[in-house]
Structure formats: structure tokens, C-alpha cells
Amino acid sequence: MKGIMLQGTASHVGKSIITTAICRMLARQGFPISPFKAQNMSSHHVTLDTGQELAISQYEQAQAAKRKAEPWMNPVLLKPLKNMQTEVFFDGELQGIITGAKFKAMYYQEALQKIKQGLIQAEGSSDFIIIEGAGSPVEMNLKERDLSNMAIAELADVPVLLVADIERGGVFASIVGTLALLTEKERARVKGIIINKFTGHSSLFVEGVEWLENNTGIPVVGVLPFIQHQLNEEDSLDGGNRPFQPNLTSKEADFEKLANHFEANIDREKLLEIMRGTD
């Protein structure tokens, strides 16, 4: 299928917001878009009119794509509870509560089938699918039964953009280290790098871009300056378990702001070439 997957060098590098920006940028150019996240561990969710649950990020990505949010956009939702317990949802429907790391033993095969079905629906209802990964694609203790990153990129047969957060430092090591831990086949899927949360004008990072491209052989398709927005966070970075009430008021101004910001700092033609498989 045609599209792209956003993977990150770590959690909270900005994958959700960039996915949202791409959805709006392409939607306003007339492309039917399907946002998708195969498996999401999030305590921040929305209850749809049908009573089904959807992670807040995929709900807002659907809004950005100018379409109705549907449960298949996030076929597997894991909602953390207290005492190491987790609620498991498939297509927005509660399946049960697990304790500790029992998900893969109890639900892996069924979850994989739900993800495959979701990808079929995504492909059938859009020109492009924009997939958001989770965490990092090189959590080596979790890769054997990956339901979030490279396994999903392979299922969908889409290229990958690797997103790195420069705000916290260590951006070169995080990119090169991530690529080094990927298999040769996985690394071949990475067609571009995005530097996110840059402070200052991107022209200040020209030497950094040159170093990354020379040392990885992968183009840097964008350096995105830090931007304020009012979208809901997928989860709290500090891991707090505070009550969450989603703000479902119109985010149109934020969607437009993010799309403008993204388009002004990205190589749009290169991105479309990658998504179409013509790069």
C-alpha cells in the first residue's frame, strides 16, 4: 500500500504530532488519508458514539485528515491501570484485564489479526496510510513479537521516516544507534530522517544535516523547529496516572498551524516520492 510510517528513536519524540500534521497537510491537498496506529499503550482515550474506545491521538489524527474517527484506526488499545494491570481493547471493545506482561501469551495472535484487518480497511478507504509507531523500533527485548513498529511497516509494506528529538540532546547517537540496531532489511525501509523540536532556525543545523546524511546514507527530509499547540497528549511523560478528560472542542486552528509549520520545514516533494515509492 502507499503511505509512510513514523517511527521514533524514543517515546515522546513527536511522532503523534508529526503524523497529525501530515494528515492535515495531505488532506487539504485533496488526498483521502487513513491515520493508523496498530497498538497503542495509552490512558488517554475517547469514547466514540458507538461506545467503542479510541486513543486520543488517532481521534485527533482522523479530525486532521477530515474524516470520521473509526476503531480500526487503532485496532489494539492497551489502557494501563493500577497494580500492573492493563485493560485490553480490540477495535474499541474491551477484551479483558491482564496483569504484568501476559499480553503476548494471551492475545498476540488475535491482536495480529485485528491489525491486519485494520490495515485492509485503511488501504481500502484512502490514497495514503499514515502509520504512527510506538516508542522505539529497537527495544531488543520486545522485537520478537513486535506489534508496533517494523513488523507493522513490513505488513503494510510502507517506507519509514525516523523521527528524533533534538531538544534533549544526543540526537546523533540516538539516530545512528537506532539504525545500527536494525537488521539490514529493516534499515532498508528507513527512507528519511526528521529532526524535531529544534530551537532556532533550521539553517543553524546545516552541518548537522550534512553529517547525518554522510554517515547514514539517508536523507534528512526536515528539521522542524519547536512549536506550541493545544492538542491532547497521548500520555504524560512523567507516567502519572491523573484523571484525564479529553478536550474534544474543535482543533482546526491547531491542525492548520501544524500543517503550515510542517510544510514550511519539510521537503514535501521528497516526502511524496517516498510515500509513492518513487524515490
Side-chain angles (χ1 to χ4, degrees), residues 42 44 49-50 56 74-75 87-88 93 95 97 114 124 128 139-141 148 156 159 175 187 201 244 257 260 268:
S42 176
H44 296 176
D49 293 340
T50 58
I56 187 66
N74 174 208
E87 288 183 321
V88 178
E93 303 283 353
Q95 305 299 304
I97 298 176
K114 292 294 184 183
F128 294 112
E139 303 293 353
M140 306 311 290
N141 58 318
S148 301
I175 292 170
R187 194 178 188 279
H201 195 275
F244 173 71
K257 177 182 177 181
N260 290 336
R268 177 181 170 278

Side-chain angles (χ1 to χ4, degrees), residues 7 10 31 55 66 90 121 176 181 183 220 226 235-236:
Q7 296 184 11
F31 294 109
K66 301 186 178 183
F90 289 160
Q121 290 182 277
V176 173
L181 290 173
T183 67
V220 175
F226 184 88
D235 259 323
S236 299

Side-chain angles (χ1 to χ4, degrees), residues 9 40 46 74 88 110 124 131 148 177 189 225:
T9 56
N40 200 339
V46 175
N74 174 208
V88 178
E110 188 177 354
I131 307 176
S148 301
R189 281 200 180 272

Side-chain angles (χ1 to χ4, degrees), residues 97-234:
I97 298 176
I98 58 173
T99 301
K102 295 182 179 179
F103 175 77
K104 288 183 172 60
M106 296 176 64
Y107 291 114
Y108 175 80
Q109 290 298 333
E110 188 177 354
L112 183 59
Q113 289 305 312
K114 292 294 184 183
I115 291 167
K116 289 179 178 179
Q117 292 167 13
L119 286 170
I120 291 171
Q121 290 182 277
E123 184 177 26
S125 63
S126 60
D127 287 350
F128 294 112
I129 179 172
I130 313 299
I131 307 176
E132 180 189 340
S136 158
V138 288
E139 303 293 353
M140 306 311 290
N141 58 318
L142 303 176
K143 281 191 70 176
E144 183 180 357
R145 288 195 167 187
D146 173 30
L147 288 175
S148 301
N149 292 298
M150 279 298 178
I152 306 307
E154 184 172 349
L155 274 179
D157 194 18
V158 294
V160 170
L161 291 181
L162 184 63
V163 180
D165 177 359
I166 197 171
E167 184 182 31
R168 297 179 214 163
V171 71
F172 299 99
S174 65
I175 292 170
V176 173
T178 297
L179 293 171
L181 290 173
L182 293 172
T183 67
E184 184 176 346
K185 182 180 179 181
E186 290 169 341
R187 194 178 188 279
R189 281 200 180 272
V190 182
K191 300 298 185 181
I193 296 168
I194 292 179
I195 306 298
N196 196 27
K197 304 182 187 179
F198 189 79
T199 302
H201 195 275
S202 57
S203 62
L204 299 173
F205 197 61
V206 171
E207 291 183 0
V209 168
E210 291 175 351
W211 189 95
L212 284 168
E213 293 182 337
N214 289 337
N215 283 273
T216 67
I218 300 171
V220 175
V221 298
V223 178
L224 307 182
F226 184 88
I227 185 173
Q228 296 286 349
H229 61 84
Q230 299 300 315
L231 300 186
N232 290 282
E233 291 292 336
E234 186 169 78

